[in-house]
Amino acid sequence: NNQGAQAIIAGNSSANLSVSGDIVNDGTIMGGSITSNSNAFTNSGTGGVFGDVVTLNVTSLLSQSANSTISGHTSLDMNIAGDINNVGTLDGNTVTAYSNTFNNTGGVFGNDVTLNAATLNNTGNTAVIATTHALNLIVSDTINNTDGATLYSLGDLNAGASSTLDSDGYLSKNMVSFNNTSATVQAD
């Protein structure tokens, strides 16, 4: 556990954290390359994870509170066997997430963002998933974009159940449902 606003874990070129239990961070974890392997990862309070390349491998749950940030300047990769609950900010040039359910009431930002999940819940007027190039939502079951939430891309916005493309370059497999209720979906 990295607890307290003054708590810092830093690596000049890399910071590698590997524990069989849970990681709780409300301080700062920083380095050029950050890799974390744990049962659960909780970024709480004003907790921050900052690196050039950030990789989180979690077997149960990634949870992030409202004032916390996980940022990978070049890339942020989240491989979560369970769920992601994001209330804070996730960002990077390239953001990629694998999870069972992705619950977002915070912000997810990048040039390219790819979210792979069974269910994506983007809920509330503070919920924004936005890109400057491509937003890829690979969701096998349901996308719920509700209550003032925003899905936005300055480039392409792709949604489907698989990343397999058809002969025209579009995602070839349909998800079960896409519910957009009192919310915004926009690609410019």
Side-chain angles (χ1 to χ4, degrees):
N1 293 334
N2 191 38
Q3 297 182 326
Q6 302 301 317
I8 296 174
I9 296 174
N12 288 335
S13 62
S14 65
N16 297 304
L17 309 170
S18 193
V19 298
S20 60
D22 301 345
I23 293 175
V24 177
N25 177 54
D26 66 359
T28 301
I29 300 172
M30 61 185 171
S33 173
I34 298 171
T35 302
S36 173
N37 299 290
S38 63
N39 177 56
F41 190 102
T42 300
N43 207 29
S44 62
T46 58
V49 178
F50 306 98
D52 185 47
V53 175
V54 176
T55 304
L56 303 177
N57 301 303
V58 178
T59 56
S60 66
L61 175 70
L62 170 65
S63 182
Q64 173 150 274
S65 68
N67 295 316
S68 58
T69 301
I70 301 175
S71 179
H73 178 72
T74 299
S75 66
L76 170 58
D77 297 305
M78 297 166 285
N79 304 297
I80 314 302
D83 298 341
I84 295 174
N85 296 324
N86 180 51
V87 182
T89 300
L90 302 169
D91 72 9
N93 182 48
T94 301
V95 176
T96 305
Y98 293 88
S99 65
N100 181 42
T101 300
F102 193 110
N103 297 306
N104 184 58
T105 58
V108 181
F109 307 101
N111 288 331
D112 293 291
V113 173
T114 301
L115 304 180
N116 300 272
T119 302
L120 169 62
N121 297 310
N122 195 45
T123 306
N125 61 7
T126 59
V128 177
I129 301 173
T131 69
T132 58
H133 183 253
L135 175 56
N136 299 300
L137 305 174
I138 312 302
V139 178
S140 60
D141 192 5
T142 302
I143 294 176
N144 295 304
N145 191 51
T146 61
D147 301 327
T150 300
L151 297 172
Y152 179 77
S153 178
L154 278 172
D156 296 332
L157 194 156
N158 302 297
S162 156
S163 59
T164 303
L165 302 178
D166 64 17
S167 60
D168 296 320
Y170 297 107
L171 297 177
S172 63
K173 189 172 178 189
N174 295 331
M175 66 189 69
V176 174
S177 62
F178 190 125
N179 303 307
N180 189 53
T181 308
S182 300
T184 301
V185 177
Q186 183 176 343
D188 290 331

